[in-house]
C-alpha cells in the first residue's frame, strides 16, 4: 500500500493509528444504536430499557396527521413535512430562522420491535415513541439442571 | 504595580448587570420567524415542550421578552444512549419600536409554537396622501 504521508513522517504512524483505533471504537460503540443520519432534523434522543426503547423528538408546529412513523424489524422511520407560512402581498420577513419542508429520519434500534405495540404521542411539539422489544427477541433464560 | 500577583477578591460587576437565574437549568434561545404585515408584526417562536401555562410574555418599556419553562423528562429504568438535543428553559428578548398597540397584543401556543401578533398603533399605519392637481 502506498502511504506517502505516513512513511515520510514515520513518527506520526503511532498517534495516527491511535486516533483511527479510537474512531473505530466510537463507531462500534454507537453502531448498535443508530446509523449515520442523512439529515439532522428533527433532533432525537434515544432511551433504552430492558423491555422497550423510547425515542423522543422535538418537532414543534406539526400536524400529527402529517407525520409518518413506520417500523420494520429493528428500523424506525420518521418522516413528515412542516408547512411554510405563506406571506401575502406586502408582507415581508424580518427574520426567518425556522426551517420548513420535508424531513425523513431512519434509526436502527439495538433490538427487534413489536410493530403492533408501538405507541406514539405528540404533545406540546414533542414526539415520544415507545417501541416495545419483540417477544422472540428477548433474551432467553436457560435453566441449569443439577444431576 | 504593587497589586500585581495578588489574588483578586472581588469581581467587578458587568454593566449592565446580567441577571443570573435561580433555577439551575440550561436556557435556550428559541428560533423565531418574524414578519411584518400591513397592520401588525407577527412573531412565531419554536418552543417545544411549552404550553399556555408555562410560557410567559412580557413587554417592559420597549423590550418584549418571551420565556418558557420546560421540565426535562426522564424515563425510569431507561438510560439515554443517544442524545441530539437537551431540554431546557427558553428565553429571548426583542426590542420593538414604540409603534405597537400594547393593549391589543395577542399570543397563542399550539403544538409547542408560540405565536404573537403585535398590532401597529393607529397613528403609524400608512396613510395614503392624495396628490392634488392644479
Amino acid at each position: 500500500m502506498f502511504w506517502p504521508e505516513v512513511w515520510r513522517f514515520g513518527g506520526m504512524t503511532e498517534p495516527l493509528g491511535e486516533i483511527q483505533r479510537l474512531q473505530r471504537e466510537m463507531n462500534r460503540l454507537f453502531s448498535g444504536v443508530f446509523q449515520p443520519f442523512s439529515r439532522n432534523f428533527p433532533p432525537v434522543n434515544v432511551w433504552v430499557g430492558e423491555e422497550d426503547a423510547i425515542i423522543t423528538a422535538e418537532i414543534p408546529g406539526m400536524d400529527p396527521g402529517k407525520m409518518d412513523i413506520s417500523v420494520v424489524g429493528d428500523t424506525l422511520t420518521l418522516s413528515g413535512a412542516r408547512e411554510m407560512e405563506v406571506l401575502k402581498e406586502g408582507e415581508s420577513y424580518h427574520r426567518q430562522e425556522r426551517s420548513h419542508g420535508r424531513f425523513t429520519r431512519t434509526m436502527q434500534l439495538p433490538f427487534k420491535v413489536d410493530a403492533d405495540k408501538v405507541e406514539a404521542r405528540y404533545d406540546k411539539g414533542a414526539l415520544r415513541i415507545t417501541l416495545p422489544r419483540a417477544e422472540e427477541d428477548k433474551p432467553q433464560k436457560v435453566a441449569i439442571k443439577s444431576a | 504595580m504593587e497589586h500585581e500577583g495578588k489574588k483578586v477578591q472581588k469581581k467587578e460587576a458587568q454593566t449592565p448587570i446580567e441577571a443570573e437565574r435561580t433555577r439551575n437549568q440550561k436556557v435556550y434561545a428559541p428560533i423565531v420567524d418574524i414578519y411584518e404585515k400591513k397592520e401588525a408584526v407577527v412573531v412565531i417562536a419554536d418552543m417545544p415542550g411549552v404550553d399556555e401555562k408555562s410560557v410567559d410574555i412580557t413587554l417592559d418599556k420597549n423590550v418584549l421578552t418571551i420565556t418558557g419553562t420546560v421540565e426535562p423528562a426522564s424515563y425510569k429504568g431507561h438510560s439515554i444512549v443517544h442524545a441530539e438535543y437537551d431540554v431546557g428553559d427558553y428565553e429571548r428578548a426583542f426590542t420593538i419600536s414604540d409603534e405597537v398597540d400594547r393593549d391589543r397584543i395577542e399570543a397563542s401556543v399550539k403544538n409547542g409554537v408560540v405565536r404573537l401578533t403585535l398590532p401597529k398603533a393607529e397613528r403609524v399605519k400608512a396613510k395614503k396622501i392624495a396628490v392634488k392637481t392644479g
Side-chain angles (χ1 to χ4, degrees):
Chain A
M1 211 187 269
F2 182 57
W3 281 18
E5 291 304 312
V6 176
W7 288 124
R8 201 175 304 150
F9 304 103
M12 287 291 284
T13 47
E14 266 307 299
L16 209 68
E18 188 67 11
I19 289 164
Q20 282 170 343
R21 190 195 59 77
L22 199 72
Q23 194 179 11
R24 269 202 306 275
E25 194 70 18
M26 292 300 280
N27 286 345
R28 188 191 61 79
L29 211 68
F30 287 109
S31 62
V33 182
F34 69 96
Q35 290 193 321
F37 296 123
S38 52
R39 281 178 66 185
N40 52 8
F41 186 86
V44 297
N45 283 353
V46 183
W47 304 71
V48 172
E50 265 176 36
E51 296 285 312
D52 57 5
I54 295 168
I55 292 181
T56 59
E58 286 192 332
I59 327 175
M62 285 288 300
D63 178 356
K66 281 187 181 154
M67 259 187 289
D68 221 30
I69 300 159
S70 65
V71 179
V72 179
D74 62 352
T75 309
L76 171 87
T77 306
L78 175 66
S79 60
R82 192 158 87 156
E83 306 279 315
M84 195 179 167
E85 200 114 344
V86 183
L87 294 194
K88 288 184 218 105
E89 184 81 29
E91 300 179 352
S92 64
Y93 272 110
H94 289 200
R95 281 169 193 265
Q96 196 175 7
E97 301 168 356
R98 299 164 74 235
S99 53
H100 309 272
R102 286 202 63 79
F103 60 85
T104 304
R105 292 208 65 170
T106 306
M107 280 151 264
Q108 197 181 1
L109 292 154
F111 47 73
K112 262 193 192 164
V113 171
D114 189 346
D116 296 331
K117 288 189 187 147
V118 173
E119 269 177 51
R121 225 183 112 80
Y122 184 62
D123 184 35
K124 296 186 245 175
L127 180 72
R128 190 182 76 214
I129 311 167
T130 311
L131 306 129
R133 191 168 182 167
E135 209 55 51
E136 75 265 18
D137 197 57
K138 282 182 186 166
Q140 295 286 322
K141 267 225 163 157
V142 179
I144 303 164
K145 283 177 199 158
S146 56
Chain B
M1 293 282 275
E2 51 187 273
H3 291 292
E4 226 167 43
K6 259 190 189 174
K7 210 175 175 188
V8 180
Q9 297 289 316
K10 275 186 173 173
K11 213 172 137 190
E12 217 173 310
Q14 286 179 325
T15 41
I17 296 164
E18 207 178 292
E20 272 186 74
R21 293 163 53 88
T22 51
R23 253 163 81 92
N24 187 19
Q25 194 165 310
K26 278 188 188 166
V27 187
Y28 295 96
I31 54 167
V32 297
D33 278 356
I34 301 176
Y35 68 87
E36 189 169 347
K37 293 202 280 191
K38 249 182 226 153
E39 69 283 7
V41 173
V42 179
V43 179
I44 305 164
D46 274 353
M47 293 162 81
V50 306
D51 57 15
E52 64 281 359
K53 283 176 229 127
S54 57
V55 71
D56 205 17
I57 297 153
T58 56
L59 183 60
D60 185 17
K61 287 185 183 125
N62 60 344
V63 178
L64 174 81
T65 312
I66 309 168
T67 53
T69 48
V70 184
E71 288 303 322
S74 68
Y75 304 99
K76 231 181 163 184
H78 293 72
S79 53
I80 192 152
V81 294
H82 175 63
E84 288 175 356
Y85 70 89
D86 206 352
V87 174
D89 293 347
Y90 296 100
E91 188 169 300
R92 194 158 176 185
F94 297 99
T95 310
I96 53 164
S97 65
D98 243 345
E99 297 133 14
V100 164
D101 188 342
R102 279 140 199 272
D103 300 328
R104 291 193 296 126
I105 293 174
E106 277 175 40
S108 65
V109 186
K110 196 190 172 193
N111 290 337
V113 177
V114 176
R115 200 187 173 87
L116 267 169
T117 310
L118 311 161
K120 291 180 192 169
E122 269 321 306
R123 59 187 168 86
V124 292
K125 270 190 195 166
K127 231 186 226 168
K128 199 159 186 185
I129 295 153
V131 181
K132 286 173 195 161
T133 49

